[in-house]
Amino acid sequence: MDRALRSIGTMSGALAVGAFTVNSCLYNVDGGERVVLFDTLRGGILKDVRGEGTHFMIPVIQRPIILDVRTKPREIPSVTGTKDLQMVNIKLRVLWRPVENELPQLVRELGTDFDERVLPSIGNEVLKSVVAQYNAEELLSKRAEVSSRIKEEMMKRARHFHLTLDDVAITHLTFGREFMRAIESKQVASQEAERQQWVVKKAEQERQAVVTRAEGEAEAAGIITAAMEKTGNAIIEVRRIDAAKEIAAKLANGRNIVYLPSQQNGSGSNMLLGIDTK
């Protein structure tokens, strides 16, 4: 019985040691991760990159370095100056990921915190160099062009550090208080200038209307003068008759107007009397 118990204990100890040894020789790589091995006997970081799954390693001699290769966002703030010496607060959003095939070289040169070392430095460098080529107004009117140039320069610089940038965009852009006050003053002056132009155009149109009206009256007077030269006072008599008809029509519609005819022999004159109804 004692021998059986000792055998069981020995087997259990052997199984425990074996399980611990196997567990120490295996490691798992989750989705979106890659592993580079550090080997103390073969000169540090090995050149091969291992993907997702379970892999074997030599305990003590080899050590896995797990790296996340999924796309991650990073915001880079910067305060820089424009071409016309205006200070700008600008923020850049970068979607980045490491180049998988170059992970061993990346870890060997920059370590595992390569994003903290690389992205802020190249971001500030590119922002300062690109923004300095535009004045403050151009940063607003040519924002798409500025963003495109920053993206191009950032991608070019990131390739030297074994990083891939999927997207680069300006998310925040503000100027100093003095520049904002200058913009407001300029807008007010521009609106006032537009108003003055409108006033000038209105006065010009009114002047043209007066000239046109005067020309029309002068032409009408010329026509009347020409007609009088041909027909004498006949044109005046016609106008007088027309005026009399118009006056008579207006008076006929009045309720308090009384018409008194002349005497029968026609020696008298006709009369119109206004009767007060009060």
Side-chain angles (χ1 to χ4, degrees), residues 105-117:
Q105 187 177 359
L106 177 60
V107 175
R108 188 180 299 112
E109 294 176 357
L110 299 172
T112 56
D113 58 343
F114 48 83
D115 57 326
E116 294 291 340
R117 298 186 180 188

Side-chain angles (χ1 to χ4, degrees), residues 153-173:
E153 293 295 328
M154 285 285 293
M155 289 183 172
K156 186 185 302 182
R157 294 283 294 138
R159 291 192 195 101
H160 295 289
F161 298 98
H162 318 290
L163 298 179
T164 298
L165 303 184
D166 294 329
D167 185 54
V168 179
I170 298 174
T171 58
H172 183 72
L173 180 64

Side-chain angles (χ1 to χ4, degrees), residues 132-151:
Q133 301 177 25
Y134 296 87
N135 58 39
E137 292 184 0
E138 289 176 340
L139 287 180
L140 298 175
S141 61
K142 300 180 180 179
R143 180 164 179 165
E145 177 183 339
V146 175
S147 180
S148 177
R149 289 194 58 183
I150 292 175
K151 180 179 180 179

Side-chain angles (χ1 to χ4, degrees), residues 198-212:
W198 178 81
V199 171
V200 171
K201 290 181 180 180
K202 181 180 179 182
E204 180 66 19
Q205 291 176 354
E206 292 177 351
R207 185 188 68 80
Q208 291 179 357
V210 171
V211 171
T212 302

Side-chain angles (χ1 to χ4, degrees), residues 4-229:
L5 291 176
R6 284 196 296 268
S7 300
I8 293 173
T10 303
M11 292 177 60
S12 300
L15 289 175
V17 172
F20 176 77
T21 303
V22 171
N23 185 55
S24 300
C25 294
L26 299 177
Y27 64 92
N28 295 322
V29 181
D30 296 331
E33 296 179 343
R34 297 294 182 271
V35 166
V36 294
L37 284 177
F38 179 84
D39 195 315
T40 57
L41 298 180
R42 297 169 62 185
I45 301 295
L46 301 182
K47 295 183 179 180
D48 58 329
V49 178
R50 301 190 179 187
E52 302 168 3
T54 301
H55 302 275
F56 175 80
M57 69 174 181
I58 303 175
V60 181
I61 297 175
Q62 293 181 335
R63 175 172 57 87
I65 301 174
I66 300 176
L67 301 170
D68 191 350
V69 296
R70 290 170 291 190
T71 300
K72 295 184 287 294
R74 175 80 185 222
E75 191 174 68
I76 304 173
S78 179
V79 179
T80 183
T82 62
K83 187 177 181 180
D84 53 353
L85 304 180
Q86 297 293 335
M87 299 306 297
V88 182
N89 294 318
I90 186 170
K91 287 184 180 180
L92 204 63
R93 189 219 50 202
V94 178
L95 297 179
W96 68 276
R97 55 187 172 85
V99 180
E100 294 184 18
N101 297 332
E102 300 176 5
L103 283 176
Q105 187 177 359
L106 177 60
V107 175
R108 188 180 299 112
E109 294 176 357
L110 299 172
T112 56
D113 58 343
F114 48 83
D115 57 326
E116 294 291 340
R117 298 186 180 188
V118 173
L119 292 177
S121 61
I122 65 174
N124 280 278
E125 178 186 354
V126 170
L127 283 173
K128 292 180 184 298
S129 63
V130 173
V131 171
Q133 301 177 25
Y134 296 87
N135 58 39
E137 292 184 0
E138 289 176 340
L139 287 180
L140 298 175
S141 61
K142 300 180 180 179
R143 180 164 179 165
E145 177 183 339
V146 175
S147 180
S148 177
R149 289 194 58 183
I150 292 175
K151 180 179 180 179
E152 181 180 353
E153 293 295 328
M154 285 285 293
M155 289 183 172
K156 186 185 302 182
R157 294 283 294 138
R159 291 192 195 101
H160 295 289
F161 298 98
H162 318 290
L163 298 179
T164 298
L165 303 184
D166 294 329
D167 185 54
V168 179
I170 298 174
T171 58
H172 183 72
L173 180 64
T174 58
F175 297 92
R177 294 182 179 179
E178 295 181 358
F179 180 74
M180 298 305 296
R181 286 196 293 266
I183 289 180
E184 293 177 358
S185 301
K186 184 176 180 180
Q187 290 177 346
V188 172
S190 177
Q191 293 175 356
E192 183 64 22
E194 292 179 357
R195 179 179 176 278
Q196 294 299 328
Q197 291 178 358
W198 178 81
V199 171
V200 171
K201 290 181 180 180
K202 181 180 179 182
E204 180 66 19
Q205 291 176 354
E206 292 177 351
R207 185 188 68 80
Q208 291 179 357
V210 171
V211 171
T212 302
R213 191 181 304 111
E215 291 176 352
E217 292 176 354
E219 185 177 356
I223 293 173
I224 294 174
T225 302
M228 290 180 63
E229 291 177 354

